[in-house]
Amino acid sequence: MAIDSKLRGCDLVQMKIGDIVSGGQVRTRAIVMQQKTGRPVQFELLPDARASLLAWLDRRGGTVDDYVFPSRVDHNGHLSTRQYARLVDEWVTGVGLMRSDYGTHSLRRTKASIIYRATGNLRAVQILLGHSKIENTVRYLGIDVEDALALAENTEI
């Protein structure tokens, strides 16, 4: 879910069931309002993520007004961003990866980086991340002169 949505952790944990479910099915696309920017961002949910979410929501229960990921402490609240980070740390170490190399924000960046490398379409990545300025997307992806030259070298006219 975190990789598909490309959402910041604070936005991911605050999603409500109604944001991603319609008519008993997990939507293929959803829109959430970003906490940081106050702007909406749309994202896709691929079949594997939809199947996992549907299984989770069947087990979790709840209404469209409930959080997708509820707090363990306050059942009316959502999972905290700190608890989300702890879970990611557990998952990362559980599969034998270095905790220092992966975190909640690297999940946000993963798909955006793959899309950029596959297409070179910086504007599309900007839209998907909900960045207001292209410069932010360039900085976020760590694009440098080498990246630009590599794209140019692979484009024949």
Side-chain angles (χ1 to χ4, degrees):
M1 174 76 178
I3 291 172
D4 269 359
S5 70
K6 299 165 291 303
L7 291 173
R8 292 175 185 89
C10 61
D11 296 325
L12 185 73
V13 298
Q14 291 185 45
M15 280 194 321
K16 299 220 173 177
I17 293 173
D19 293 334
I20 61 168
V21 172
S22 178
Q25 294 295 315
V26 176
R27 299 175 184 177
T28 57
R29 291 185 179 175
I31 299 174
V32 297
M33 192 65 66
Q34 296 179 97
Q35 182 179 329
K36 182 177 178 180
T37 65
R39 297 175 52 190
V41 66
Q42 188 172 3
F43 58 91
E44 73 288 351
L45 289 167
L46 296 180
D48 287 343
R50 289 196 311 269
S52 293
L53 282 166
L54 192 56
W56 162 245
L57 293 172
D58 282 345
R59 181 175 177 180
R60 184 232 182 284
T63 69
V64 294
D65 294 321
D66 291 327
Y67 291 105
V68 174
F69 306 109
S71 168
R72 294 183 311 175
V73 177
D74 172 13
H75 295 290
N76 293 324
H78 59 77
L79 184 72
S80 72
T81 53
R82 185 65 212 125
Q83 185 60 29
Y84 168 49
R86 284 188 196 105
L87 288 169
V88 170
D89 281 348
E90 286 178 27
W91 299 331
V92 166
T93 56
V95 296
L97 299 173
M98 297 290 296
R99 281 177 50 180
S100 58
D101 292 341
Y102 300 92
T104 59
H105 210 76
S106 63
L107 295 177
R108 171 171 159 77
R109 187 175 301 177
T110 297
K111 192 166 185 178
S113 297
I114 291 169
I115 291 168
Y116 174 70
R117 285 192 180 90
T119 66
N121 190 335
L122 195 54
R123 175 70 177 135
V125 174
Q126 176 192 7
I127 291 167
L128 292 170
L129 291 172
H131 288 164
S132 57
K133 297 179 182 176
I134 199 82
E135 295 83 11
N136 295 342
T137 308
V138 168
R139 193 170 39 258
Y140 187 82
L141 293 176
I143 298 168
D144 58 15
V145 174
E146 257 329 290
D147 296 321
L149 288 172
L151 282 171
E153 288 168 352
N154 292 323
T155 305
E156 261 187 63
I157 298 178

